[in-house]
């Protein structure tokens, strides 16, 4: 009984060993590679199984090379990554070709062999147009700032210029009071000096009269 069980297990294992390679080769052993063009400089390609046209589920090991039509420039080798913007069979490059005409070749080595090539043209993309520039006061376009420059307000005329041809403004009242105070101080000073001089003259006359009276009495 044990021998029968062991024999059955061995036959089942052998059957699985033969079935697995058959399942692995159901798609075939070659890939169909079609270079479809470019999108914003990124090379695009479709990769399917040659026999049934199914998309490749495995990671693809591929190299992408590009040569300019005149042979002066080369780009690559790059690898292919899945293209999220395309069908399941779509692949693309992370790098982008510069503008120009390129002969692109794609060679796949895993999970099977396949290759293709195509001449691809990458156009020159014009820069986005700028918004309308403003116009300066003189009518010319101000392309640097894109707007109308601020016009400075006219400088007001100075007080001396606006008052030319008219009488001079009177001095402030404070100045007049100051000048009046100075005049009063000078007047009081002069009056004091004069009063002092008169008083001295009067005292001198009194002293002289007293001396004359004393001389008369002694004589």
């Amino acid at each position: 009984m044990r021998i029968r069980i062991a024999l059955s297990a061995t036959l089942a294992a052998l059957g699985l060993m033969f079935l697995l390679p058959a399942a692995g080769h159901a798609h075939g052993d070659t890939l169909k590679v079609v270079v479809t063009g470019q999108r914003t400089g990124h090379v695009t390609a479709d990769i399917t199984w040659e026999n049934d046209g199914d998309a490749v589920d495995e990671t693809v090991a591929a190299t992408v090379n590009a040569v300019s039509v005149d042979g002066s420039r080369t780009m690559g080798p790059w690898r292919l990554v899945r293209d999220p913007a395309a069908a399941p069979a779509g692949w693309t490059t992370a790098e982008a070709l510069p503008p120009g005409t390129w002969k692109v070749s794609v060679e796949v080595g895993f999970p099977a062999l396949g290759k293709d090539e195509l001449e691809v043209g990458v156009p020159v993309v014009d820069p986005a147009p700028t918004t309308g520039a403003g116009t300066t006061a003189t009518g010319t376009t101000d392309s640097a700032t894109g707007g109308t420059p601020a016009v400075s307000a006219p400088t007001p005329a100075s007080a001396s210029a606006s008052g030319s041809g008219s009488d001079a403004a009177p001095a402030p009242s404070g100045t007049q009071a100051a000048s009046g105070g100075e005049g009063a101080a000078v007047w009081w000073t002069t009056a004091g000096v004069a009063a002092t001089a008169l008083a001295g003259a009067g005292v001198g006359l009194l002293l002289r009269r007293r001396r004359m009276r004393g001389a008369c009495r002694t004589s």
Side-chain angles (χ1 to χ4, degrees), residues 6-202:
L7 182 59
S8 299
T10 303
L11 291 176
L14 290 174
L16 290 174
M17 291 177 62
F18 284 105
L19 289 174
L20 287 175
H25 289 283
H27 294 298
D29 56 357
T30 57
L31 294 175
K32 181 181 180 180
V33 181
V34 178
V35 181
T36 57
Q38 61 83 31
R39 184 172 63 251
T40 63
H42 300 272
V43 178
T44 57
D46 288 342
I47 302 177
T48 56
W49 290 101
E50 185 73 32
N51 288 353
D52 54 17
D54 290 344
V56 179
D57 297 330
E58 298 90 338
T59 300
V60 170
T63 56
V64 181
N65 291 280
V67 182
S68 60
V69 290
D70 58 1
S72 61
R73 295 182 294 170
T74 59
M75 304 296 292
W78 297 334
R79 68 184 186 92
L80 288 177
V81 296
R82 290 195 180 273
D83 189 356
W91 296 78
T92 186
T93 57
E95 300 83 1
L97 293 170
T101 304
W102 302 87
K103 184 178 181 181
V104 178
S105 62
V106 177
E107 294 186 4
V108 182
F110 180 85
L113 300 179
K115 65 178 181 179
D116 189 33
E117 61 182 18
L118 180 70
E119 188 173 288
V120 175
V122 180
V124 178
V125 179
D126 295 331
T130 58
T131 57
T135 305
T136 61
T138 58
T140 59
T141 301
D142 188 3
S143 60
T145 60
T148 304
V151 179
S152 59
T155 304
S158 61
S160 59
S162 61
S164 59
S166 62
D167 295 338
S173 58
T175 304
Q176 292 178 354
S179 60
E182 292 178 358
V186 172
W187 184 86
W188 282 108
T189 302
T190 306
V193 171
T196 304
L198 290 176

